[in-house]
Amino acid sequence: EDLDPDDFDDLGTSEEPDPLDADVFDPVDYINKQFPNEASLSGLDAFVSKLRAQQKHNDEDIRLAIRRQAATSRRARADLDEAKSAVRELFERI
């Protein structure tokens, strides 16, 4: 089946950007928007749970990125050592 490139124009844009990721973040303004009045504070526990879940997800993403970087670094080091060895061997043959 042929894929239409226009089908991919909106990928990743279906959700509004997270205000926590904004270049200029005002925490007071953010909290006031989440809880504009006293009655809205009834959703505070759910809001905190959502933030904790997001933090846990972010922590896991960071751990995974660190593991990948460490593995890539080890592979790069092994490749470099192998290349050095090959160059030494080549010079010995010459």
Side-chain angles (χ1 to χ4, degrees):
E1 175 181 323
D2 290 332
L3 297 176
D4 183 359
D6 293 333
D7 292 341
F8 300 101
D9 286 344
D10 293 330
L11 287 179
T13 60
S14 62
E15 294 182 22
E16 289 183 30
D18 189 340
L20 297 174
D21 293 333
D23 290 337
V24 178
F25 176 70
D26 181 358
V28 173
D29 184 51
Y30 179 73
I31 295 296
N32 286 336
K33 285 180 182 176
Q34 297 300 314
F35 305 102
N37 54 46
E38 192 172 334
S40 64
L41 291 173
S42 64
L44 182 61
D45 289 336
F47 178 76
V48 169
S49 293
K50 179 182 170 186
L51 287 178
R52 286 185 177 144
Q54 186 177 5
Q55 180 182 14
K56 184 177 179 181
H57 177 76
N58 291 344
D59 288 346
E60 186 56 36
D61 285 349
I62 291 168
R63 276 192 287 276
L64 182 58
I66 290 170
R67 286 185 194 124
R68 285 182 182 156
Q69 179 61 35
T72 300
S73 177
R74 285 189 296 272
R75 281 193 301 269
R77 183 52 142 165
D79 290 346
L80 179 62
D81 290 343
E82 185 177 328
K84 285 180 179 180
S85 177
V87 168
R88 268 188 245 115
E89 184 179 326
L90 181 62
F91 276 116
E92 288 173 2
R93 288 183 182 183
I94 295 177

